[in-house]
Amino acid sequence: MPSVKENDDKPDGLPKDEWQEDALYSIIILGASGDLAKKKIYPVLWSLFRDDLLPKNTSFVGYARSKLSIDDLRKSFQANCKIMKGEEEKFFAFIKNNLYISGSYDSSEDFKRLNESLNEREAKTNAGNRVFYLSLPPFVFDTATQHIRENCWGKTGWNRIVLEKPFGHDLESSRKLATHLNSLFTEEEIYRIDHYLGKELVQNLITLRFANRIFNPAWNNHNVASVMITFKEPIGTQGRGGYFDEYGIIRDIIQNHLMQIFCLAAMEKPVSLNAEDIRDEKVRVLRRIAPATIENSVFGQYLGNPTGKTEDEKMGYLDDPTVPKGSVTPTFAALVLKIDNERWEGVPWILRAGKALNERKAEIRVQFKKPDGDIMPGTGAKRDELVIRFQPNEAIYLKMMTKTPNSHFGMEETELDMTYSKRYEGVVLAEAYQLLFLEILRGRQIHFVRNDELEETWRIFTPLLHQIENEKVKPIDYEFGSRGPRDADRLLAENNFIYTGTYKWPGPSK
Ligand SMILES: NC(=O)C1=CN([C@@H]2O[C@H](COP(=O)(O)OP(=O)(O)OC[C@H]3O[C@@H](n4cnc5c(N)ncnc54)[C@H](OP(=O)(O)O)[C@@H]3O)[C@@H](O)[C@H]2O)C=CC1
Ligand SMILES: O=C1O[C@H](COP(=O)(O)O)[C@@H](O)[C@H](O)[C@H]1O
């Protein structure tokens, strides 16, 4: 097994693709001067270039309003790139493949200049394949996409447009955006990124469920008591409260990341691994869910922790000067969805997400019912629980009962454990954006969100969002660094999720 621990953004074993030799691939980053571009997109492009995973003829074209030289651009993102000793020359070659054009998002002339520059570079090749990556605030989506379509759509190869969330603010605005995009592009040309779909263990859900005989027969209301999907972050809004306040935790995490995990865990087996077949099943299960309700939800907002170690921890959500005074935007939410189909009727699916909590964690817990016809009553047997920990320290473990060694029929809780750092020692997992970028270039949409998925998730959450916003429902206070409001545990208990607190992992967590 190769060990690449010395540089942990070098993933192991990514397949080398056979790219079109006679084509020029242009990756055009709109909003190249922005935060996402410098923190994420350029560093990921560098890592893929460094590891020879991109087509040989790839050119990176930044576009933004700021007047920047290539050197300014480089300085903006270099600190976020991992450049090991001996890789300086390669980094220099990466920078040489970069171009930057300053232009506004509402000027045909500027987009025409961008197009001329792309044409000029493509002239020496047979085909020009173009990826337009919109790393832009949502209010410029409409004009920018219009100009891309009218002025920059290549004629000799394929064109793909990549969008980051937010895809609208509610059902109506999402539909409006969809209508606009559909008037310009085909669905095959649109790549809606949800970076959770690029995470290794999220991708593994399909394999686990459908490549193993043992899970599928047990994956239903005869055997499953409840399911909980959790996202926790130990950081607050860190000065970006103004942005967060317009969205809140449901739009930021639950409607997208947690619902994508939900779909992969709850959907029926797709007829094939074709992107359309998988996405058809996701939509099918979403259509069987009634809108989320306030009665089945708990909302929280964090307070500063006076004993916190950092300034962030000491600051409550409302202390952030960028957050409007008296805001009731939730930074924590727990809610329950029910799926009205033959497989899942009666099983509560609990979705929880929060900022400023006690740890960083994203996981799914599937709690199984106790066996029927119990021949060991009164022995304290606990429910089996399958945990898939998406991050950190990726792991799949099944908490289960075993006979205590050398006892008569004494039993205790133990686990079948597949912790990635042990099972795949030394293997570096690719970062979500690395995998997703390669999928865009390959033209594979499995790990991207289709418009009807979006429509369904907005249908589920829009009535609740509008209600809490119109009625200014006050979230419950919780302290920075806690597990969130206590009422959330009550919601779990009322929805058949049993926490015993008796399970003990032997030794430090890997
Ligand atoms: N390979 C490895 O390294 C493995 C490590 N382990 C470790 O073993 C430890 C225990 O395992 P775990 O599966 O977490 O089991 P536990 O039963 O101890 O905890 C399950 C989860 O229940 C939640 N919880 C805590 N209090 C309450 C409450 N009052 N009501 C409802 N829920 C509550 C907590 O999450 P929350 O705060 O999110 O609600 C907790 O993480 C973990 O640290 C885990 O990392 C386990 C298996 C493999
Ligand atoms: O989309 C978002 O995700 C991040 C968390 O991503 P992760 O990969 O670090 O789990 C979150 O911090 C941010 O608020 C949200 O917009």
Side-chain angles (χ1 to χ4, degrees), residues 165 195-196 199 231 233 235 240 243-244 252-253 256-257 355 360 391:
K165 81 175 164 66
H195 78 280
Y196 267 59
K199 293 191 188 267
F231 166 93
E233 237 178 12
I235 50 171
R240 289 178 66 236
Y243 164 83
F244 183 87
D252 193 44
I253 303 289
N256 34 72
H257 305 327
K355 290 202 171 259
R360 175 169 184 258
Q391 66 186 34

Side-chain angles (χ1 to χ4, degrees), residues 232 352 361 365 389 397 399 419 483 505 510:
K232 295 167 87 179
R352 284 191 311 169
K361 179 172 90 171
R365 286 178 188 263
R389 193 166 60 203
Y397 54 100
K399 289 152 66 176
T419 298
R483 290 182 52 252
W505 169 253
K510 286 274 161 70

